[in-house]
Amino acid sequence: MTEMSPAATAAAVGTTGFKAPGTTPARTPRGYTPGLAAVNCGVYLALLTPVMVSMAFKIQHISPTPEQATANLGLVLGVGALFALVANPLAGRLSDRTTSRWGMRRPWILGGSIVGLGAFALIGLAGSVWVVLVGWCIVQASMNAVLAAANATLPDQVPAAGRGKVSGVIGITTPLGILGGNFLVTFLPDDFARFVVPAAIATVLSVLFVLVLKDRRLEQKPAQRFTAGQFFGSFVFNPVKHPDFGWTWLTKFLVMFGYAGIATFLPFYLTEKFHLDEQAAITTILFANLASMAAMMISAPIGGILSDRIGKRRPFVAAAGVIMVAGLVLLAFAPDIATIIVAQAIIGFGAGSFMSVDLALATQVLPNPDDTAKDLGVLNIANALPQSIAPAIAPAIIAIGATTALGGYATFYLFGALVALAGAVLVYRIKGVK
């Protein structure tokens, strides 16, 4: 993409408020950064509240035994994450081809949030695991379509030199979403409210972003038809032709694998190891996430801004991964609730910097500027796939670990730490970015 002068940018935007394809403004449009941060915060509020707290207890309420609850939770979250894996790059690819008079990204952002709201309501009312599973799959598909379209606006709207700063601001939205969800769950009385209220907030924030976004608009349909080959191509790339993008993908996958299982099984970890009841576990998770989110809110913007100023991405990504590993090890051996909270703070500090700088790094190694949303969607597979694999294999690792002195959940967290450490090391295989 080429950068434009303010005058040229104004001409490209025109009186309609839409940007022409293939243009990047010299400055980030006013209102864009808080709008993008808001929609990300809303989506994470809706998606991560169930992952962190409410889904575990929803499954527990409709499962006959604790053992079945663990297996059912792994099933629901694992299969749902597969839908996220497919939906994110596919929606990104389709948004690159969208010729709506509303723009390329806005229909996906608005439509996805509305469909997701309905699916969250279905989960809240569900009386069986299978209905929850169907609802969660729809949620993952629709809300990841929102994320794909919204985050594809970053290279559309922000010059390359400023993306670390914007990515850092966006990085804060994850802890805010998690913290907001934990806070809400503490006061919401039942399963229905715990799923629907965060989703309703996400829908409102999506509408607000749609209203302020000066979206790109395609005036003509792409000459090449969307074929079956392109459909399957939405989920793959050539790591030999684009090795830096390949290593970026693998780094993200490994680090996020270590991170993926923490929240999912923390409610069960607390109730089993520390014998907490449901309300005490929810309160403990709230305090643990307060510590984690406070740390993320510090590290996310600092990491992004410093990486812009120094002109390096890899050291920040590697250091962030190692910090997360240290927190995972501490979590595995935590002797009391206070240590759980400290461990979550350490993990949060590393995760905040990793997520912000990693996104900035990724935008600098994209294979094709004409397929921005598709390529970012492929990269998001590295974020979504661990959320499927980790819950799927967790019951087996936990069962094996339960036969040892470490215990099941400690074994699972240590396994995640080893995988994340590998990701932190492999970031230095990326050669095109310092």
Side-chain angles (χ1 to χ4, degrees):
M1 295 183 184
T2 57
E3 296 189 5
M4 305 175 64
S5 67
T9 299
V13 173
T15 59
T16 64
F18 290 91
K19 289 178 71 271
T23 61
T24 301
R27 297 180 181 178
T28 304
R30 182 177 300 177
Y32 169 76
T33 301
L36 181 61
V39 74
N40 271 270
C41 185
V43 171
Y44 289 129
L45 174 73
L47 273 179
L48 296 182
T49 299
V51 173
M52 300 292 283
V53 185
S54 50
M55 185 63 81
F57 291 121
K58 173 69 180 183
I59 295 297
Q60 194 173 64
H61 296 158
I62 59 178
S63 296
T65 66
E67 292 76 18
Q68 286 179 293
T70 300
N72 288 337
L73 181 62
L75 172 68
V76 170
L77 295 184
V79 175
L82 289 176
F83 276 73
L85 185 153
V86 173
N88 196 290
L90 180 59
R93 188 71 174 268
L94 292 175
S95 76
D96 283 336
R97 300 173 59 89
T98 296
T99 56
S100 167
R101 63 186 181 88
W102 270 55
M104 300 171 65
R105 319 297 185 191
R106 300 206 293 183
W108 295 91
I109 297 169
L110 183 60
S113 62
I114 293 173
V115 171
L117 177 60
F120 276 113
L122 176 66
I123 296 171
L125 295 171
S128 75
V129 172
W130 295 108
V131 175
V132 172
L133 176 61
V134 170
W136 188 243
C137 290
I138 297 172
V139 161
Q140 285 283 25
S142 58
M143 300 307 285
N144 271 275
V146 176
L147 279 178
N151 289 332
T153 64
L154 178 62
D156 291 349
Q157 306 283 336
V158 182
R163 291 176 192 169
K165 179 180 179 180
V166 177
S167 296
V169 173
I170 296 170
I172 298 176
T173 64
T174 301
L176 285 177
I178 295 172
L179 183 59
N182 275 249
F183 183 79
L184 283 173
V185 167
T186 304
F187 297 100
L188 296 175
D190 53 48
D191 288 332
F192 182 78
R194 290 174 182 176
F195 283 94
V196 172
V197 172
I201 294 172
T203 302
V204 171
L205 294 176
S206 295
V207 170
L208 293 176
F209 181 59
V210 164
L211 292 176
V212 302
L213 177 64
K214 294 180 175 63
D215 200 2
R216 291 173 60 183
R217 185 166 70 183
L218 292 180
E219 300 295 343
Q220 296 180 342
K221 292 183 179 180
Q224 188 177 8
R225 296 181 61 186
F226 190 67
T227 63
Q230 287 182 315
F231 171 80
F232 291 108
S234 299
F235 313 106
V236 297
F237 64 96
N238 187 336
V240 176
K241 187 177 180 180
H242 305 287
D244 281 349
F245 190 70
W247 288 115
T248 301
W249 192 99
L250 184 60
T251 295
K252 188 177 187 69
F253 172 85
L254 294 172
V255 174
M256 293 310 298
F257 183 96
Y259 189 67
I262 300 170
T264 302
F265 293 95
L266 187 59
F268 293 162
Y269 184 38
L270 293 173
T271 55
E272 179 181 295
K273 181 174 181 177
F274 300 100
H275 309 291
L276 303 183
D277 60 28
E278 182 174 316
Q279 190 56 47
I282 290 174
T283 301
T284 300
I285 293 170
L286 174 61
F287 282 110
N289 285 321
L290 276 169
S292 179
M293 299 312 109
M296 289 181 81
M297 291 176 68
I298 294 171
S299 65
I302 289 177
I305 292 170
L306 287 179
S307 71
D308 277 349
R309 184 167 298 175
I310 297 173
K312 294 184 178 181
R313 309 292 190 195
R314 297 184 303 175
F316 290 92
V317 172
V322 170
I323 292 170
M324 292 172 66
V325 168
L328 280 165
V329 173
L330 183 61
L331 182 64
F333 292 107
D336 50 40
I337 297 299
T339 307
I340 293 284
I341 295 173
V342 172
Q344 287 285 76
I346 294 172
I347 294 168
F349 190 87
S353 181
F354 177 83
M355 292 176 185
S356 62
V357 181
D358 176 71
L359 179 58
L361 184 154
T363 64
Q364 294 179 236
V365 297
L366 295 177
N368 187 352
D370 294 327
D371 284 328
T372 295
K374 175 261 183 183
D375 291 332
L376 286 176
V378 169
L379 187 66
N380 193 67
I381 293 174
N383 184 59
L385 190 58
Q387 297 176 46
S388 179
I389 296 176
I393 68 174
I397 297 175
I398 291 168
I400 293 171
T403 64
T404 69
L406 285 174
Y409 293 101
T411 301
F412 178 63
Y413 290 140
L414 288 176
F415 179 76
L418 288 174
V419 175
L421 181 61
V425 172
L426 289 176
V427 71
Y428 280 97
R429 297 300 301 269
I430 302 170
K431 303 302 181 183
V433 179
K434 293 182 179 180

